[in-house]
Amino acid sequence: MRGATRAKWAVCAVAVALAATACGGGGGGGESAGVVSSSWGDPQNPLEPANTNEVQGGKVMEMLFRGLKRYNPKTGAAENVIADKIETKDSQNFTVTLKGGWTFSNGEPVTAKSFVDAWNYGALLTNKQKNASFFQYIDGFDAVHPESVTPTAKTLSGLVVKDDKTFTVKLRQKFSSWPDTLGYSAFMPLPQAFYKDHDAWLQKPVGNGPYTVDEYTKGTVLKMRKWGKYPGPDPAQNGGIDLRVYTDNNTAYTDLQAGNLDLVDDVPAAQLKNVKKDLGNRYINQPAGIIQTLTFPMYDKDWGGGGKKEKLRQGISTAIDRDQITREIFQKTRTPATDWTSPVLGKDGGYKAGLCGDACEFNAEKAKQLIKEGGGLPGGKMTIGYNADTGSHKDWIDAICNSINNALGTDKACVGAPVGTFADFRNKISAKRMTGPFRAGWQMDYPLIQNFLQPLYYTDAASNDGKFSDADFDDLVNEANAQTDTGKAVEKFQDAEKILAEQMPAIPLWYQNGSGGYSDRISNVSLNPFSVPVFNEIKAV
């Protein structure tokens, strides 16, 4: 959604830079029967639904909470969980009716107030919740979350509790796909204990999902345990999950091989050539809702603007041999991208192969001609920015530059421009100090085409780091959101993608697979479309 602030750039930084301070114990290291040990990284923010906006914290949200909807762990479809029905006649006013029988693990019932209070808390500016922007379509958001002044209201006027099982939602504009966003963690309910003693709740969060928090030692381990009285249809099939903190995914992989860890959900790039030999059928490699791109600093006169600059950007895209790079560097754990979304969406979610057109097809001669027509590389050379602290980006950045250099017949046209740390890299991007294209990525919040386009390319959207702005693109996004028919909405979003193909503010590189490996002590292991393990379905031997 517009202004979404979730740290998608952490796809290759947070999710890759895991690692171990807690290795211990044979037999997977579980302290009690049926407990599964998995690699993890400390979350950036406290484990609050509206404040968790990166991969590691998201894993915990999926275990600790259940909301109105949940994304099917196999198909990604948004399916009702606590919602009995979500009704609308105009795609702007919704009535939400809850199922009965749901409680939090502390015994409090889950009611309409549990959702409305949580959403009001998440939206209010003074609570400083990272996911506040996900409530922006609800009427009254401007009053509770103004740009730079004190809020004039504490609750969203568009939310009204009718009774324990019913509440209504009025949006600021029509948004036909809005109900399908409600599986995202920002929309989870909260118990009254959250407000009565917030500090205590943060020390040991209470949710309504299949697991409870047993113990959390920051920098070491978060112990989740099966909630025996969980009322949902998808209870934990194991005794619990020990999420062990690793700062190096190579160490986690070594622990897995040694039998000291049950699960890693990010196989190091250096191990991809050997992983099938090491793990056999215990290696997982499957599509995920993640895309990697190169984003141009459209605010820089050397790169931004239309006319010739469009040809320059298209030419660089055409000079990249995606097939060779994904095959040789990533060992087929990436797939060349032909649009700006992900195949995981499927046709109904908005994915349509080929929308990028010829610009995403490698053609050295055409690339050379387009770059020439676009005025040539600024000063005859270009750099590609990336963070150097994970150790995994240099190889593919160098491969892209080699491809561009070969197309142009010189070894000096393109070079990588490493920035020491991920934090420094992001600070440069936020300060608009990038002087060339830079690595970027996006992991979906929910499986809809809107989530791949609006947060990244709509004018002034919070994750629009290249500062691309196009009135026609914005109008098509607005029209798509206003459609009452989801099929027509998808068509409008795809029309907006065609503008991206014409202007190329970001180059689609490849769709990223989820990868993982597990020990022979556990079974029934899979990743969901977000590349997160389906923890509740894992069985321990």
Side-chain angles (χ1 to χ4, degrees):
M1 302 179 76
R2 184 182 179 193
T5 56
R6 191 178 180 205
K8 295 308 178 318
W9 305 89
V11 167
C12 284
V14 174
V16 171
L18 302 181
T21 56
C23 300
E31 291 183 358
S32 58
V35 173
V36 177
S37 58
S38 178
S39 62
W40 190 53
D42 275 319
Q44 179 184 9
N45 304 306
L47 294 170
E48 303 168 283
N51 207 24
T52 296
N53 67 345
E54 40 70 46
V55 177
Q56 304 308 321
K59 295 174 185 177
V60 180
M61 293 297 105
E62 169 65 15
M63 289 191 279
L64 188 60
F65 288 99
R66 287 294 180 264
L68 296 173
K69 288 181 176 284
R70 185 190 183 210
Y71 301 115
N72 185 291
K74 291 182 174 60
T75 68
E79 299 173 343
N80 284 354
V81 180
I82 298 179
D84 182 45
K85 53 188 176 181
I86 302 175
E87 301 172 296
T88 183
K89 295 180 179 179
D90 59 5
S91 295
Q92 186 169 1
N93 294 278
F94 296 83
T95 298
V96 180
T97 305
L98 308 183
K99 297 175 183 176
W102 279 86
T103 66
F104 294 97
S105 61
N106 66 355
E108 289 186 36
V110 177
T111 66
K113 182 177 171 60
S114 306
F115 285 96
V116 170
D117 286 353
W119 295 7
N120 280 326
Y121 182 91
L124 185 60
L125 177 65
T126 52
N127 290 329
K128 300 179 181 179
Q129 299 290 283
K130 298 293 185 182
N131 286 328
S133 61
F134 282 87
F135 305 103
Q136 66 182 304
Y137 277 107
I138 300 175
D139 211 31
F141 183 78
D142 287 345
V144 302
H145 202 102
E147 288 293 330
S148 58
V149 296
T150 302
T152 56
K154 291 187 176 182
T155 59
L156 293 158
S157 59
L159 296 178
V160 178
V161 174
K162 295 297 185 180
D163 55 47
D164 280 353
K165 291 186 178 180
T166 313
F167 67 99
T168 59
V169 184
K170 181 180 180 181
L171 303 184
R172 295 195 293 175
Q173 66 178 70
K174 292 183 178 181
F175 187 0
S176 58
S177 299
W178 180 77
D180 288 341
T181 72
L182 300 178
Y184 181 54
S185 61
F187 297 103
M188 296 300 108
L190 286 168
Q192 290 304 302
F194 175 87
Y195 313 99
K196 292 178 179 177
D197 193 340
H198 189 215
D199 289 341
W201 191 95
L202 291 178
Q203 291 296 318
K204 195 171 185 178
V206 173
N208 65 326
Y211 293 91
T212 61
V213 173
D214 181 60
E215 178 186 338
Y216 179 28
T217 304
K218 189 173 179 61
T220 302
V221 64
L222 170 60
K223 297 181 178 182
M224 307 289 290
R225 293 296 178 262
K226 177 180 179 177
W227 178 26
K229 295 182 179 180
Y230 173 64
D234 55 339
Q237 301 298 308
N238 49 69
I241 308 290
D242 282 354
L243 296 172
R244 297 180 179 174
V245 177
Y246 283 78
T247 55
D248 180 353
N249 57 347
N250 285 287
T251 306
Y253 188 79
T254 300
D255 272 1
L256 174 66
Q257 289 181 295
N260 294 324
L261 189 69
D262 291 322
L263 174 65
V264 296
D265 61 3
D266 177 46
V267 176
Q271 304 294 341
L272 290 174
K273 291 183 179 180
N274 303 315
V275 66
K276 288 184 179 179
K277 178 182 177 181
D278 293 341
L279 301 178
N281 60 8
R282 291 182 285 111
Y283 167 56
I284 304 171
N285 176 29
Q286 67 185 56
I290 304 170
I291 187 171
Q292 300 294 325
T293 65
L294 289 184
T295 294
F296 289 97
M298 301 296 281
Y299 48 82
D300 188 302
K301 61 181 178 59
D302 287 334
W303 297 104
K308 290 184 177 181
K309 298 300 182 183
E310 292 175 3
K311 291 184 178 294
L312 170 61
R313 299 190 294 268
Q314 291 171 350
I316 293 172
S317 178
T318 309
I320 299 172
D321 192 339
R322 296 163 176 79
D323 184 67
Q324 182 181 39
I325 294 171
T326 54
R327 187 176 63 252
E328 296 183 1
I329 301 293
F330 294 114
Q331 301 291 307
K332 297 183 179 180
T333 61
R334 310 288 191 274
T335 304
T338 64
D339 86 323
W340 284 263
T341 67
S342 168
V344 165
L345 297 181
K347 180 180 177 181
D348 291 343
Y351 170 69
K352 186 175 183 180
L355 281 177
C356 182
D358 293 342
C360 283
E361 295 289 333
F362 175 64
N363 186 322
E365 288 302 316
K366 184 175 181 180
K368 191 172 184 178
Q369 181 62 32
L370 282 170
I371 291 173
K372 181 179 180 181
E373 291 175 6
L377 298 178
K381 58 184 179 181
M382 62 176 282
T383 60
I384 299 178
Y386 68 98
N387 58 296
D389 54 350
T390 64
S392 61
H393 302 308
K394 184 180 186 300
D395 288 347
W396 65 263
I397 293 290
D398 287 348
I400 286 177
C401 277
N402 287 339
S403 187
I404 294 171
N405 289 339
N406 290 337
L408 296 179
T410 174
D411 61 357
K412 298 180 180 179
C414 179
V415 66
V419 177
T421 68
F422 179 70
D424 289 341
F425 178 59
R426 287 298 305 155
N427 287 337
K428 284 190 69 174
I429 292 171
S430 298
K432 298 194 294 185
R433 291 191 285 115
M434 304 305 289
T435 57
F438 51 93
R439 82 154 191 95
W442 188 255
Q443 180 182 24
M444 65 184 183
D445 297 305
Y446 41 83
L448 294 174
I449 184 174
Q450 182 258 5
N451 188 240
F452 281 88
L453 300 185
Q454 190 165 354
L456 294 166
Y457 306 111
Y458 194 96
T459 299
D460 292 332
S463 295
N464 183 350
D465 288 323
K467 303 307 176 186
F468 172 69
S469 179
D470 182 87
D472 291 336
F473 178 89
D474 292 352
D475 288 345
L476 284 167
V477 167
N478 291 337
E479 291 174 26
N481 283 331
Q483 293 293 324
T484 56
D485 180 273
T486 55
K488 292 180 179 178
V490 163
E491 290 178 3
K492 288 289 185 181
F493 280 121
Q494 291 172 343
D495 287 341
E497 270 199 274
K498 293 174 184 176
I499 292 178
L500 299 182
E502 294 170 359
Q503 299 201 27
M504 199 61 66
I507 295 173
L509 294 175
W510 36 75
Y511 310 119
Q512 182 172 321
N513 282 13
S515 68
Y518 57 97
S519 73
D520 57 9
R521 183 178 167 272
I522 61 176
S523 63
N524 203 37
V525 184
S526 63
L527 304 179
N528 66 21
F530 302 87
S531 79
V532 173
V534 188
F535 287 109
N536 66 290
E537 294 184 358
I538 297 174
K539 297 180 180 179
V541 176

Short mmCIF file of all heavy atoms in Angstrom, two decimals, residues 471-509:
data_model
loop_
_atom_site.label_atom_id
_atom_site.label_comp_id
_atom_site.label_asym_id
_atom_site.label_seq_id
_atom_site.Cartn_x
_atom_site.Cartn_y
_atom_site.Cartn_z
N ALA A 471 2.33 10.97 -13.43
CA ALA A 471 0.91 11.23 -13.18
C ALA A 471 0.02 10.13 -13.77
O ALA A 471 -0.98 9.74 -13.16
CB ALA A 471 0.52 12.59 -13.74
N ASP A 472 0.38 9.63 -14.96
CA ASP A 472 -0.44 8.58 -15.58
C ASP A 472 -0.38 7.29 -14.77
O ASP A 472 -1.39 6.60 -14.61
CB ASP A 472 0.03 8.33 -17.02
CG ASP A 472 -0.26 9.50 -17.94
OD1 ASP A 472 -1.18 10.28 -17.64
OD2 ASP A 472 0.43 9.63 -18.97
N PHE A 473 0.81 6.96 -14.27
CA PHE A 473 0.94 5.78 -13.41
C PHE A 473 0.08 5.93 -12.16
O PHE A 473 -0.67 5.03 -11.81
CB PHE A 473 2.41 5.58 -13.03
CG PHE A 473 2.65 4.41 -12.12
CD1 PHE A 473 2.89 3.15 -12.62
CD2 PHE A 473 2.64 4.57 -10.72
CE1 PHE A 473 3.10 2.06 -11.78
CE2 PHE A 473 2.84 3.49 -9.87
CZ PHE A 473 3.08 2.24 -10.41
N ASP A 474 0.16 7.09 -11.50
CA ASP A 474 -0.62 7.32 -10.29
C ASP A 474 -2.12 7.22 -10.57
O ASP A 474 -2.88 6.63 -9.79
CB ASP A 474 -0.32 8.71 -9.72
CG ASP A 474 1.10 8.82 -9.16
OD1 ASP A 474 1.79 7.79 -9.08
OD2 ASP A 474 1.51 9.95 -8.82
N ASP A 475 -2.55 7.79 -11.70
CA ASP A 475 -3.98 7.75 -12.04
C ASP A 475 -4.46 6.31 -12.25
O ASP A 475 -5.56 5.94 -11.80
CB ASP A 475 -4.24 8.56 -13.32
CG ASP A 475 -4.14 10.06 -13.09
OD1 ASP A 475 -4.15 10.48 -11.92
OD2 ASP A 475 -4.04 10.80 -14.09
N LEU A 476 -3.64 5.50 -12.91
CA LEU A 476 -4.02 4.11 -13.14
C LEU A 476 -4.10 3.33 -11.83
O LEU A 476 -4.99 2.49 -11.64
CB LEU A 476 -3.04 3.44 -14.09
CG LEU A 476 -3.18 3.83 -15.56
CD1 LEU A 476 -1.97 3.37 -16.37
CD2 LEU A 476 -4.47 3.23 -16.15
N VAL A 477 -3.18 3.60 -10.91
CA VAL A 477 -3.23 2.95 -9.59
C VAL A 477 -4.50 3.36 -8.85
O VAL A 477 -5.19 2.52 -8.25
CB VAL A 477 -1.98 3.30 -8.76
CG1 VAL A 477 -2.15 2.90 -7.30
CG2 VAL A 477 -0.75 2.63 -9.35
N ASN A 478 -4.83 4.65 -8.90
CA ASN A 478 -6.05 5.12 -8.24
C ASN A 478 -7.29 4.48 -8.85
O ASN A 478 -8.22 4.08 -8.15
CB ASN A 478 -6.14 6.64 -8.33
CG ASN A 478 -5.10 7.35 -7.49
OD1 ASN A 478 -4.58 6.78 -6.52
ND2 ASN A 478 -4.77 8.58 -7.84
N GLU A 479 -7.30 4.38 -10.17
CA GLU A 479 -8.43 3.77 -10.85
C GLU A 479 -8.55 2.29 -10.51
O GLU A 479 -9.64 1.75 -10.33
CB GLU A 479 -8.29 3.94 -12.37
CG GLU A 479 -8.46 5.37 -12.86
CD GLU A 479 -8.17 5.50 -14.35
OE1 GLU A 479 -8.33 4.49 -15.08
OE2 GLU A 479 -7.76 6.59 -14.79
N ALA A 480 -7.40 1.63 -10.42
CA ALA A 480 -7.40 0.21 -10.08
C ALA A 480 -7.96 -0.01 -8.68
O ALA A 480 -8.79 -0.91 -8.46
CB ALA A 480 -5.98 -0.35 -10.16
N ASN A 481 -7.54 0.80 -7.73
CA ASN A 481 -8.02 0.66 -6.35
C ASN A 481 -9.52 0.93 -6.24
O ASN A 481 -10.19 0.39 -5.37
CB ASN A 481 -7.26 1.62 -5.43
CG ASN A 481 -5.87 1.12 -5.10
OD1 ASN A 481 -5.62 -0.07 -5.07
ND2 ASN A 481 -4.96 2.05 -4.85
N ALA A 482 -10.02 1.76 -7.12
CA ALA A 482 -11.44 2.14 -7.06
C ALA A 482 -12.36 1.13 -7.73
O ALA A 482 -13.58 1.21 -7.59
CB ALA A 482 -11.64 3.51 -7.69
N GLN A 483 -11.79 0.16 -8.45
CA GLN A 483 -12.61 -0.83 -9.14
C GLN A 483 -13.30 -1.75 -8.13
O GLN A 483 -12.70 -2.22 -7.17
CB GLN A 483 -11.74 -1.69 -10.07
CG GLN A 483 -11.15 -0.94 -11.25
CD GLN A 483 -12.20 -0.47 -12.24
OE1 GLN A 483 -13.20 -1.15 -12.49
NE2 GLN A 483 -11.99 0.71 -12.80
N THR A 484 -14.58 -2.01 -8.35
CA THR A 484 -15.30 -2.95 -7.49
C THR A 484 -15.10 -4.38 -7.95
O THR A 484 -15.32 -5.32 -7.19
CB THR A 484 -16.80 -2.62 -7.47
OG1 THR A 484 -17.30 -2.63 -8.82
CG2 THR A 484 -17.04 -1.25 -6.86
N ASP A 485 -14.67 -4.55 -9.18
CA ASP A 485 -14.38 -5.87 -9.73
C ASP A 485 -12.88 -6.11 -9.69
O ASP A 485 -12.10 -5.35 -10.28
CB ASP A 485 -14.89 -5.97 -11.17
CG ASP A 485 -14.62 -7.33 -11.79
OD1 ASP A 485 -13.52 -7.53 -12.35
OD2 ASP A 485 -15.51 -8.20 -11.72
N THR A 486 -12.44 -7.16 -8.97
CA THR A 486 -11.00 -7.38 -8.80
C THR A 486 -10.30 -7.69 -10.12
O THR A 486 -9.14 -7.34 -10.30
CB THR A 486 -10.75 -8.51 -7.80
OG1 THR A 486 -11.44 -9.69 -8.23
CG2 THR A 486 -11.21 -8.13 -6.41
N GLY A 487 -11.00 -8.35 -11.04
CA GLY A 487 -10.41 -8.63 -12.34
C GLY A 487 -10.09 -7.36 -13.10
O GLY A 487 -9.02 -7.23 -13.71
N LYS A 488 -11.01 -6.40 -13.06
CA LYS A 488 -10.78 -5.11 -13.73
C LYS A 488 -9.68 -4.32 -13.02
O LYS A 488 -8.91 -3.60 -13.66
CB LYS A 488 -12.08 -4.31 -13.79
CG LYS A 488 -13.12 -4.92 -14.71
CD LYS A 488 -14.40 -4.08 -14.75
CE LYS A 488 -15.43 -4.70 -15.69
NZ LYS A 488 -16.71 -3.93 -15.72
N ALA A 489 -9.63 -4.46 -11.70
CA ALA A 489 -8.58 -3.79 -10.94
C ALA A 489 -7.21 -4.30 -11.36
O ALA A 489 -6.28 -3.53 -11.58
CB ALA A 489 -8.79 -4.01 -9.44
N VAL A 490 -7.09 -5.62 -11.52
CA VAL A 490 -5.82 -6.22 -11.95
C VAL A 490 -5.42 -5.68 -13.32
O VAL A 490 -4.25 -5.36 -13.57
CB VAL A 490 -5.93 -7.75 -11.97
CG1 VAL A 490 -4.81 -8.37 -12.80
CG2 VAL A 490 -5.90 -8.31 -10.56
N GLU A 491 -6.37 -5.56 -14.23
CA GLU A 491 -6.07 -5.05 -15.57
C GLU A 491 -5.53 -3.62 -15.50
O GLU A 491 -4.59 -3.26 -16.22
CB GLU A 491 -7.33 -5.09 -16.43
CG GLU A 491 -7.76 -6.50 -16.80
CD GLU A 491 -9.05 -6.51 -17.62
OE1 GLU A 491 -9.56 -5.40 -17.93
OE2 GLU A 491 -9.55 -7.61 -17.93
N LYS A 492 -6.09 -2.80 -14.63
CA LYS A 492 -5.61 -1.42 -14.48
C LYS A 492 -4.19 -1.39 -13.92
O LYS A 492 -3.35 -0.61 -14.37
CB LYS A 492 -6.55 -0.63 -13.57
CG LYS A 492 -7.90 -0.30 -14.18
CD LYS A 492 -7.78 0.76 -15.27
CE LYS A 492 -9.15 1.17 -15.78
NZ LYS A 492 -9.04 2.19 -16.87
N PHE A 493 -3.93 -2.25 -12.94
CA PHE A 493 -2.58 -2.32 -12.39
C PHE A 493 -1.58 -2.78 -13.47
O PHE A 493 -0.46 -2.27 -13.53
CB PHE A 493 -2.53 -3.28 -11.20
CG PHE A 493 -3.01 -2.68 -9.91
CD1 PHE A 493 -4.08 -3.24 -9.23
CD2 PHE A 493 -2.39 -1.56 -9.37
CE1 PHE A 493 -4.52 -2.69 -8.03
CE2 PHE A 493 -2.81 -1.01 -8.17
CZ PHE A 493 -3.89 -1.58 -7.49
N GLN A 494 -1.98 -3.71 -14.30
CA GLN A 494 -1.10 -4.16 -15.37
C GLN A 494 -0.86 -3.07 -16.41
O GLN A 494 0.22 -2.98 -16.99
CB GLN A 494 -1.66 -5.43 -16.00
CG GLN A 494 -1.59 -6.63 -15.06
CD GLN A 494 -2.31 -7.86 -15.58
OE1 GLN A 494 -3.14 -7.77 -16.49
NE2 GLN A 494 -2.02 -9.01 -15.00
N ASP A 495 -1.86 -2.23 -16.62
CA ASP A 495 -1.65 -1.05 -17.49
C ASP A 495 -0.61 -0.13 -16.88
O ASP A 495 0.21 0.46 -17.58
CB ASP A 495 -2.96 -0.30 -17.69
CG ASP A 495 -3.93 -1.02 -18.61
OD1 ASP A 495 -3.48 -1.92 -19.36
OD2 ASP A 495 -5.14 -0.70 -18.57
N ALA A 496 -0.65 -0.01 -15.55
CA ALA A 496 0.36 0.81 -14.86
C ALA A 496 1.75 0.20 -15.03
O ALA A 496 2.74 0.92 -15.20
CB ALA A 496 0.01 0.94 -13.38
N GLU A 497 1.85 -1.12 -15.01
CA GLU A 497 3.13 -1.79 -15.23
C GLU A 497 3.70 -1.46 -16.61
O GLU A 497 4.92 -1.37 -16.78
CB GLU A 497 2.97 -3.31 -15.10
CG GLU A 497 3.18 -3.84 -13.70
CD GLU A 497 3.47 -5.33 -13.71
OE1 GLU A 497 2.51 -6.11 -13.72
OE2 GLU A 497 4.66 -5.70 -13.70
N LYS A 498 2.84 -1.30 -17.58
CA LYS A 498 3.31 -0.98 -18.94
C LYS A 498 4.03 0.37 -18.96
O LYS A 498 4.96 0.57 -19.74
CB LYS A 498 2.13 -0.99 -19.91
CG LYS A 498 1.53 -2.39 -20.11
CD LYS A 498 0.27 -2.34 -20.97
CE LYS A 498 -0.37 -3.73 -21.06
NZ LYS A 498 -1.66 -3.71 -21.82
N ILE A 499 3.62 1.27 -18.08
CA ILE A 499 4.32 2.56 -17.97
C ILE A 499 5.71 2.34 -17.39
O ILE A 499 6.69 2.97 -17.81
CB ILE A 499 3.50 3.55 -17.11
CG1 ILE A 499 2.23 3.95 -17.86
CG2 ILE A 499 4.33 4.77 -16.74
CD1 ILE A 499 1.32 4.87 -17.09
N LEU A 500 5.83 1.42 -16.44
CA LEU A 500 7.15 1.09 -15.91
C LEU A 500 8.04 0.53 -17.00
O LEU A 500 9.25 0.82 -17.04
CB LEU A 500 7.03 0.09 -14.75
CG LEU A 500 6.23 0.53 -13.52
CD1 LEU A 500 6.26 -0.58 -12.47
CD2 LEU A 500 6.78 1.83 -12.95
N ALA A 501 7.47 -0.28 -17.89
CA ALA A 501 8.26 -0.83 -18.99
C ALA A 501 8.75 0.26 -19.93
O ALA A 501 9.86 0.20 -20.45
CB ALA A 501 7.42 -1.86 -19.76
N GLU A 502 7.92 1.29 -20.14
CA GLU A 502 8.30 2.39 -21.02
C GLU A 502 9.37 3.27 -20.38
O GLU A 502 10.29 3.73 -21.06
CB GLU A 502 7.06 3.25 -21.33
CG GLU A 502 5.99 2.55 -22.15
CD GLU A 502 4.70 3.36 -22.20
OE1 GLU A 502 4.66 4.46 -21.58
OE2 GLU A 502 3.73 2.90 -22.83
N GLN A 503 9.27 3.49 -19.08
CA GLN A 503 10.17 4.44 -18.43
C GLN A 503 11.31 3.78 -17.66
O GLN A 503 12.31 4.43 -17.37
CB GLN A 503 9.36 5.34 -17.50
CG GLN A 503 8.30 6.15 -18.25
CD GLN A 503 7.86 7.37 -17.48
OE1 GLN A 503 8.61 7.93 -16.68
NE2 GLN A 503 6.64 7.82 -17.72
N MET A 504 11.15 2.52 -17.27
CA MET A 504 12.19 1.74 -16.61
C MET A 504 12.83 2.48 -15.42
O MET A 504 14.04 2.66 -15.34
CB MET A 504 13.27 1.36 -17.62
CG MET A 504 14.15 0.20 -17.18
SD MET A 504 13.27 -1.35 -16.92
CE MET A 504 12.72 -1.75 -18.59
N PRO A 505 12.03 2.89 -14.42
CA PRO A 505 12.62 3.51 -13.23
C PRO A 505 13.37 2.50 -12.37
O PRO A 505 14.20 2.88 -11.54
CB PRO A 505 11.41 4.08 -12.49
CG PRO A 505 10.29 3.18 -12.88
CD PRO A 505 10.56 2.82 -14.32
N ALA A 506 13.05 1.23 -12.56
CA ALA A 506 13.75 0.14 -11.88
C ALA A 506 13.80 -1.04 -12.83
O ALA A 506 12.83 -1.31 -13.55
CB ALA A 506 13.04 -0.25 -10.58
N ILE A 507 14.92 -1.72 -12.86
CA ILE A 507 15.11 -2.86 -13.75
C ILE A 507 14.75 -4.16 -13.02
O ILE A 507 15.36 -4.48 -12.00
CB ILE A 507 16.58 -2.94 -14.21
CG1 ILE A 507 16.95 -1.72 -15.06
CG2 ILE A 507 16.83 -4.23 -14.99
CD1 ILE A 507 18.43 -1.66 -15.43
N PRO A 508 13.75 -4.89 -13.50
CA PRO A 508 13.47 -6.20 -12.90
C PRO A 508 14.62 -7.16 -13.20
O PRO A 508 15.02 -7.29 -14.36
CB PRO A 508 12.18 -6.66 -13.59
CG PRO A 508 11.65 -5.46 -14.32
CD PRO A 508 12.82 -4.60 -14.62
N LEU A 509 15.15 -7.79 -12.18
CA LEU A 509 16.27 -8.72 -12.38
C LEU A 509 15.79 -10.17 -12.34
O LEU A 509 15.86 -10.88 -13.32
CB LEU A 509 17.34 -8.48 -11.32
CG LEU A 509 18.06 -7.15 -11.38
CD1 LEU A 509 19.01 -7.00 -10.20
CD2 LEU A 509 18.82 -6.99 -12.70
#
